[in-house]
């Protein structure tokens, strides 16, 4: 197996699937000659030509609107929005059109479209290059929302997303695009959408996260063990919608305590939904109130971004306090 | 500086005079008349009449509280039928919401259309959308969205995909003058022009977006002229002249099919009725203005042409009206007996396969319904 970073793994997934399925089209601003501003699509234009790797005009609503038409026709477009922060001009096309096509047409039409977009902070990008808007899309019936945390999952989930019959919003945590490396099979495999992964087994407290925050969570798991002998079970959700409720609930039933970490703002963030589900399904197993460690309810800042982002210390504090509640 | 050319609004003047084939007296311009076969012309006429009668009846049904909402096409039938008639059956249609004539022209049974107005078990969109928000895949008619103009980039993408795979279809997308103010219109035109997409962008300029007149949508002297900024042709056509609409659309379709790219057609017409059954047009326009356009009724105008050609008579007119009204009455009577869609269907088609959380919501709701009387009473 080759060692890859996330960019290489995503590039590998796109190349494999474009070779396998002639319906797959990659489109977006700068995805062609430049290979994307993060180089995820590098080399694809040379191999597949300008009809399948399309540099579009700079217009997010146009990219998604036309990609919807392509998907309706029967192609498998993978549309790139350069930063998740730029997705809002296309919001109407995503939540009103893409998400609802199958339902509103009584099942006559479907839009198997993947929207890839780098999200999250920690790259000195200020608030227009750092947001985590996943909750908006999780709130929308008809979409699937995926956020990988490592190269193996990134490749397997992207292949699964392109083959999915439903639209998938695929958030790529850009802070770990190059930092996260690992062994990635060179051939074809998929990671199922809607299935979480227990990354570390533990018995005292369940720690739930996804995307780039898994880095700080892993560190917290190790330090909690070293400092206080606390055994943390760490879950990487991988897909937020549809959510793998079973894995979450089974873990909470085992540990009785839960800490949820995401860098998106707190109010109506994904942690809020998770806590509601845990309350509904495992309330009597809880030994302490579930705790959220999240970004603040402010716009994403530039200079103080590392204060905004949950760090290992905030996570450790939450773990300690919930265990000693 | 001396060589610089300042583009003034006056250059738009050229696009102001609409293409016209039918004269007021019923004759046609011999140079432009497409000389269509009699049967084809009569089919166009019948569809326009059916559209008008169906609109009248469904509008009244809404007033009687028997359906929830309706949008008529009254006064704009020529724009819809003249354009769709210029396409092949293999070509695809992306309607807005005032193109009832499309499914009628493409042979969708009236019963199926009426069932959608009731949102009942025969409605192929399963009662999920308001009346007039149809979709008929078998007739290559796309699903209708309420937000204005969203279908335009989708139509461009669809046509673009066909071009990429070498499928010689053309896509025709409809929208009103209000939609030309939306970003989606401009981004769609831009993509269509850059990638030379086989799409016909068809604007029914009916003068109003609900209550807001054309002069508040654009300072341009026509909508057709906007095409120039995107690098393709635009044409203004008399939208109450079914043959003019046909001629312009046919040319645009042939150009698109042969790789010539998009065309913007502006059909100059008038919305005789209200925007919808929730609108009161007397609040924002004069009766004189409406009466002026009544006199330009596209159906009457086409009928005079058919009579001049010797294809139509008063007797045929009476019998057509009787046939169409009978069909509509019978259909409504039948459709009103159809029950609503089964409640379980509420949860279908959100995803290709129902995910766990929806399955749970469905089961919980069905269980609740079994004992709902206990809680509702």
């Amino acid at each position: 197996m080759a060692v890859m970073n996330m960019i290489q793994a995503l590039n590998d997934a796109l190349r494999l699937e474009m070779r396998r399925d002639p319906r797959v089209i990659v489109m977006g601003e700068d995805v062609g000659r430049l290979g994307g501003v993060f180089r995820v699509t590098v080399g694809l234009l040379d191999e597949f030509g300008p009809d399948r790797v399309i540099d579009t005009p700079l217009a997010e609503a146009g990219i998604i609107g036309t990609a919807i038409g392509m998907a309706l026709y029967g192609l498998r477009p993978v549309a790139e929005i350069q930063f998740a922060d730029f997705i809002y001009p296309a919001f109407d096309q995503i939540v009103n059109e893409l998400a609802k096509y199958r339902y509103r047409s009584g099942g006559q039409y479907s839009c198997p479209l993947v929207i890839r977009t780098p999200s999250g902070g920690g790259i000195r990008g200020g608030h227009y290059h750092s947001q985590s808007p996943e909750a908006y899309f999780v709130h929308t019936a008809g979409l699937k929302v995926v956020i990988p945390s490592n190269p193996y999952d990134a490749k397997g989930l992207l292949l699964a997303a392109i083959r999915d019959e439903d639209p998938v919003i695929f958030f790529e945590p850009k802070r770990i695009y190059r930092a996260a490396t690992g062994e990635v099979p060179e051939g074809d495999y998929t990671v199922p959408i809607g299935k979480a992964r227990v990354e570390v087994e533990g018995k005292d407290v369940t720690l739930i996260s996804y995307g780039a925050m898994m880095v700080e969570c892993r560190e917290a798991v190790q330090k909690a063990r070293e400092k206080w002998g606390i055994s943390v079970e760490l879950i990487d959700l991988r897909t937020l919608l549809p959510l793998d409720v079973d894995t979450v609930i089974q873990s909470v039933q085992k540990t009785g305590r839960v800490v949820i970490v995401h860098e998106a703002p707190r109010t109506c963030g994904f942690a809020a939904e998770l806590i509601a589900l845990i309350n509904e399904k495992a309330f009597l197993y809880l030994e302490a109130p579930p705790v959220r460690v999240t970004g603040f309810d402010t716009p994403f800042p530039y200079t103080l971004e590392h204060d905004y982002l949950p760090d290992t210390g905030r996570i450790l504090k939450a773990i300690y306090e919930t265990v000693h509640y | 500086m001396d060589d610089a050319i300042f583009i003034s609004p006056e250059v738009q003047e050229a696009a102001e005079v609409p293409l016209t084939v039918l004269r007021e007296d019923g004759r046609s311009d011999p140079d432009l008349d497409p000389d269509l076969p009699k049967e084809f012309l009569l089919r166009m006429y019948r569809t326009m009449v059916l559209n008008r009668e169906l609109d009248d009846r469904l509008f009244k049904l809404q007033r009687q509280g028997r359906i929830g909402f309706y949008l008529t096409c009254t006064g704009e039938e020529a724009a819809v039928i003249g354009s769709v008639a210029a396409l092949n059956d293999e070509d695809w249609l992306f309607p807005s919401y005032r193109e009832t004539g499309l499914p009628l022209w493409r042979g969708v049974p009236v019963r199926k259309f009426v069932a959608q107005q009731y949102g009942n078990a025969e409605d192929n969109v399963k009662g999920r959308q308001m009346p007039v928000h149809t979709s008929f895949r078998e007739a290559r008619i796309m699903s209708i969205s309420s937000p204005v103009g969203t279908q335009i980039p989708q139509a461009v993408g669809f046509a673009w995909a066909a071009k990429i795979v070498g499928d010689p279809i053309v896509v025709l997308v409809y929208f009103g003058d209000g939609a030309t103010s939306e970003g989606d219109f401009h981004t769609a035109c831009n993509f269509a022009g850059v990638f030379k997409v086989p799409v016909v962008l068809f604007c029914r300029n009916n003068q109003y977006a609900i209550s807001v007149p054309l002069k508040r949508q654009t300072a341009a002297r026509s909508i057709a002229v906007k095409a120039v900024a995107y690098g393709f042709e635009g044409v203004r056509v008399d939208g109450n002249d079914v043959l003019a609409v046909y001629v312009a659309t046919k040319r645009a379709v042939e150009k698109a099919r042969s790789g010539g790219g998009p065309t913007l057609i502006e059909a100059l017409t008038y919305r005789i009725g209200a925007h919808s059954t929730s609108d009161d047009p007397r609040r924002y326009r004069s009766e004189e203005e409406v009466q002026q356009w009544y006199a330009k009724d596209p159906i009457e105008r086409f009928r005079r042409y058919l009579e001049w050609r010797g294809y139509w008579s008063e007797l045929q007119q009476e019998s057509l009206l009787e046939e169409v009204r009978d069909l509509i009455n019978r259909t409504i009577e039948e459709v009103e007996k159809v029950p609503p869609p089964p409640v379980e269907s509420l949860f279908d088609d959100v995803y290709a396969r129902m995910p766990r959380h929806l399955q749970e919501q469905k089961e919980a709701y069905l269980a609740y319904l079994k004992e709902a009387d206990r809680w509702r009473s």
Side-chain angles (χ1 to χ4, degrees):
Chain A
M1 267 195 280
V3 172
M4 294 185 190
N5 62 31
M6 281 187 69
I7 288 170
Q8 292 163 329
L10 291 162
N11 181 270
D12 196 36
L14 290 169
R15 188 183 308 274
L16 268 179
E17 196 60 5
M18 291 184 82
R19 283 180 187 163
R20 197 188 72 87
D21 185 348
R23 298 173 303 167
V24 178
I25 301 266
V26 167
M27 61 196 290
E29 167 79 3
D30 296 316
V31 299
R33 189 53 61 202
L34 182 68
V37 292
F38 290 101
R39 306 293 184 269
V40 173
T41 56
V42 82
L44 299 179
L45 177 67
D46 287 337
E47 182 170 350
F48 301 103
D51 272 354
R52 294 186 66 198
V53 183
I54 304 168
D55 268 330
T56 65
L58 200 171
E60 288 77 14
I63 293 167
I64 302 305
T66 54
I68 289 172
M70 288 192 173
L72 288 168
Y73 181 84
L75 297 184
R76 294 274 170 159
V78 181
E80 178 178 305
I81 298 296
Q82 207 158 73
F83 286 88
D85 315 68
F86 305 161
I87 211 164
Y88 303 109
F91 197 65
D92 178 53
Q93 285 288 349
I94 296 170
V95 303
N96 261 332
E97 303 291 315
L98 177 64
K100 293 172 172 65
Y101 238 104
R102 184 191 296 281
Y103 194 73
R104 80 179 203 207
S105 67
Q108 293 182 81
Y109 297 106
S110 66
C111 284
L113 163 61
V114 178
I115 300 173
R116 288 183 39 247
T117 187
S119 70
I123 55 134
R124 296 183 57 77
H127 69 239
Y128 291 120
H129 302 82
S130 305
Q131 294 173 64
S132 299
E134 60 268 18
Y136 294 113
F137 302 100
V138 174
H139 195 60
T140 302
L143 299 177
K144 293 181 177 176
V145 178
V146 172
I147 310 182
S149 74
N150 61 70
Y152 178 93
D153 284 354
K155 178 175 171 181
L157 282 166
L158 184 55
L159 285 168
I162 300 171
R163 293 171 196 178
D164 203 280
E165 294 302 319
D166 295 310
V168 179
I169 315 292
F170 196 90
F171 288 103
E172 297 170 1
K174 60 175 140 356
R175 178 159 64 93
I176 56 169
Y177 255 155
R178 292 180 192 278
T181 56
E183 291 198 334
V184 176
E186 274 160 48
D188 187 2
Y189 68 93
T190 56
V191 170
I193 289 174
K195 192 84 193 96
R197 185 170 53 91
V198 179
E199 186 168 305
V200 180
E201 291 202 21
K203 58 181 176 42
D204 296 332
V205 56
T206 299
L207 181 62
I208 304 174
S209 192
Y210 52 86
M213 274 296 127
M214 287 298 291
V215 174
E216 283 71 21
C217 287
R218 285 178 196 124
E219 210 176 295
V221 169
Q222 204 184 330
K223 284 192 173 166
R225 190 189 305 121
E226 288 164 7
K227 287 170 82 157
W228 309 305
I230 295 174
S231 162
V232 182
E233 178 144 303
L234 177 60
I235 296 177
D236 179 0
L237 290 176
R238 302 196 291 196
T239 300
L240 303 190
L241 184 72
L243 179 71
D244 182 357
V245 187
D246 286 344
T247 297
V248 170
I249 297 303
Q250 276 162 21
S251 178
V252 173
Q253 286 176 344
K254 181 169 71 173
T255 64
R257 299 169 198 274
V258 62
V259 173
I260 301 162
V261 181
H262 61 57
E263 60 179 89
R266 168 168 301 211
T267 301
C268 284
F270 192 69
E273 173 60 27
L274 266 181
I275 292 171
L277 279 168
I278 290 163
N279 280 334
E280 283 168 10
K281 292 176 188 286
F283 185 72
L284 294 177
Y285 292 86
L286 289 174
E287 304 284 346
V291 178
R292 289 182 276 181
V293 183
T294 68
F296 301 114
D297 289 336
T298 67
F300 196 97
Y302 177 63
T303 303
L304 300 178
E305 67 174 337
H306 288 291
D307 291 282
Y308 178 94
L309 292 169
D311 64 359
T312 310
R314 279 169 69 192
I315 300 168
L316 275 168
K317 177 174 186 284
I319 289 171
Y320 185 87
E321 287 177 356
T322 192
V323 168
H324 293 93
Y325 177 76
Chain B
M1 190 65 188
D2 287 348
D3 297 332
I5 297 170
F6 286 79
I7 301 169
S8 74
E10 280 66 40
V11 303
Q12 301 174 15
E13 208 174 331
E16 280 190 86
V17 181
L19 175 76
T20 302
V21 176
L22 290 177
R23 296 172 182 160
E24 292 302 319
D25 64 2
R27 292 166 185 264
S28 61
D29 182 328
D31 297 332
L32 291 174
D33 192 318
D35 211 14
L36 294 168
K38 178 183 171 186
E39 289 312 311
F40 194 80
L41 290 167
L42 293 184
R43 183 178 156 212
M44 289 169 84
Y45 184 69
R46 183 186 181 277
T47 311
M48 288 166 72
V49 171
L50 176 59
N51 191 355
R52 173 76 57 94
E53 294 294 319
L54 194 56
D55 276 350
D56 284 354
R57 196 63 214 287
L58 289 166
F59 185 85
K60 285 182 189 133
L61 286 185
Q62 192 279 337
R63 287 289 180 255
Q64 293 164 2
R66 289 155 74 183
I67 61 172
F69 177 79
Y70 197 70
L71 293 151
T72 66
C73 175
T74 307
E76 301 175 59
E77 295 90 346
V80 176
I81 301 305
S83 52
V84 68
L87 297 170
N88 296 340
D89 285 346
E90 291 72 35
D91 295 330
W92 280 78
L93 300 163
F94 280 65
S96 58
Y97 44 62
R98 213 179 287 285
E99 291 88 16
T100 293
L102 302 182
L104 301 179
W105 176 260
R106 288 265 170 106
V108 172
V110 175
R111 178 166 174 149
K112 214 167 172 182
F113 181 83
V114 173
Q116 199 277 327
Q117 313 315 306
Y118 282 84
N120 64 23
E122 284 186 17
D123 170 13
N124 66 357
V125 303
K126 304 179 187 175
R128 289 170 186 161
Q129 290 233 65
M130 287 172 79
V132 202
H133 292 61
T134 56
S135 47
F136 300 104
R137 192 181 179 114
E138 74 279 16
R140 303 198 169 203
I141 300 172
M142 203 42 74
S143 167
I144 292 172
S145 168
S146 297
V148 165
T150 56
Q151 75 281 13
I152 313 174
Q154 295 165 11
V156 169
F158 194 97
W160 186 7
K163 179 184 173 177
I164 288 169
V165 305
D167 177 2
I169 58 153
V170 172
V171 175
L172 193 146
V173 54
Y174 292 90
F175 48 92
D177 39 298
T180 66
S181 301
E182 290 278 6
D184 275 338
F185 166 75
H186 298 280
T187 198
C189 286
N190 195 41
F191 274 65
V194 169
F195 295 99
K196 241 183 169 185
V197 167
V199 67
V200 179
L201 302 136
F202 193 97
C203 178
R204 283 179 302 87
N205 176 2
N206 68 12
Q207 315 295 327
Y208 288 93
I210 306 190
S211 68
V212 180
L214 183 67
K215 64 176 186 292
R216 277 291 168 97
Q217 301 300 336
T218 181
R221 290 170 71 159
S222 77
I223 285 170
V225 76
K226 291 171 189 278
V228 177
Y230 298 105
F232 51 88
E233 287 181 313
V235 60
R236 182 176 248 199
V237 58
D238 184 337
N240 284 20
D241 175 344
V242 70
L243 294 186
V245 174
Y246 178 89
V247 167
T249 312
K250 191 80 182 168
R251 182 172 177 274
V253 166
E254 282 169 0
K255 185 180 81 175
R257 211 184 302 284
S258 61
T263 306
L264 173 62
I265 297 175
E266 175 191 9
L268 202 60
T269 181
Y270 192 79
R271 191 193 75 213
I272 292 288
H275 162 69
S276 76
T277 44
S278 307
D279 173 35
D280 178 8
R282 287 169 304 180
R283 296 169 73 96
Y284 55 82
R285 64 186 195 187
S286 70
E287 189 54 31
E288 294 75 39
E289 181 183 299
V290 180
Q291 286 309 322
Q292 276 171 20
W293 281 91
Y294 254 125
K296 299 176 187 171
D297 187 325
I299 295 182
E300 290 297 315
R301 191 159 155 197
F302 191 27
R303 185 177 150 194
R304 286 198 292 277
Y305 170 78
L306 294 175
E307 286 169 350
W308 170 68
R309 281 265 183 173
Y311 296 163
W312 202 246
S313 67
E314 190 57 40
L315 202 63
Q316 282 167 297
Q317 179 71 11
E318 281 172 26
S319 118
L320 174 65
L321 282 178
E322 195 183 337
E323 179 239 316
V324 161
R325 285 170 185 163
D326 187 51
L327 168 68
I328 294 169
N329 288 337
R330 251 186 306 118
T331 303
I332 290 167
E333 202 177 311
E334 288 164 15
V335 167
E336 287 198 331
K337 291 179 190 147
V338 178
V343 67
E344 311 86 86
S345 73
L346 172 64
F347 301 91
D348 295 337
D349 306 316
V350 182
Y351 297 93
R353 266 181 294 179
M354 194 180 295
R356 158 96 179 269
H357 67 286
L358 272 185
Q359 189 67 40
E360 284 179 6
Q361 289 170 29
K362 175 180 169 178
E363 282 163 15
Y365 186 61
L366 294 181
Y368 160 76
L369 284 183
K370 283 186 186 157
E371 51 160 31
D373 288 347
R374 194 176 138 204
W375 302 102
R376 283 171 173 168
S377 59

